Amino acid sequence: MAAKRFLSALGGVAMTLAALPAHAATVQVVLDKLGFQPVEVTVVVGDTIEWVNKDPFAHTATVKGGFDVVIAPHKSGSMVMNKAGSLDYFCRFHPNMRGRITVTER
Ligand SMILES: [Cu+2]
């Protein structure tokens, strides 16, 4: 009886851990003076990238064939990274602005 109760409690804990993105983090990338800082970030599946634009003009974080986040001047924009892989992105308005996100499996 006690063992069964213990096992079901364990099951409950495991389910809670799986359901809760308890460790999901938000990683900030600052857009300042026409650059992404840091240029390269590594995150885990489920994490959010938040781009914080300190410039007085708009930027984008754009992945060819992928997402396109427009970040207004002095605002921020974010995107959840839900697939593992490597993403090269750039700003559509300033194509010299480039960055890379590496998303690893949890
Ligand atoms: Cu830009």
Side-chain angles (χ1 to χ4, degrees):
M1 279 305 227
K4 195 176 174 192
R5 211 161 50 222
F6 176 67
L7 278 180
S8 92
L10 263 188
V13 169
M15 274 174 65
T16 306
L17 286 178
L20 270 183
H23 301 289
T26 297
V27 176
Q28 286 196 342
V29 175
V30 174
L31 292 83
D32 193 19
K33 300 181 184 74
L34 294 163
F36 294 109
Q37 292 171 7
V39 171
E40 293 196 28
V41 289
T42 299
V43 299
V44 176
V45 170
D47 285 355
T48 299
I49 304 274
E50 181 182 34
W51 290 274
V52 180
N53 187 1
K54 294 197 167 175
D55 279 332
F57 31 82
H59 293 296
T60 74
T62 304
V63 174
K64 223 175 183 176
F67 60 74
D68 181 54
V69 180
V70 179
I71 309 116
H74 304 299
K75 300 272 185 211
S76 62
S78 62
M79 178 65 67
V80 177
M81 299 296 120
N82 43 30
K83 228 175 92 185
S86 204
L87 295 166
D88 286 305
Y89 69 98
F90 59 96
C91 171
R92 277 192 285 119
F93 307 138
H94 315 98
N96 287 335
M97 289 177 64
R98 297 188 160 271
R100 167 175 283 205
I101 301 164
T102 302
V103 186
T104 62
E105 296 285 357
R106 184 166 293 281

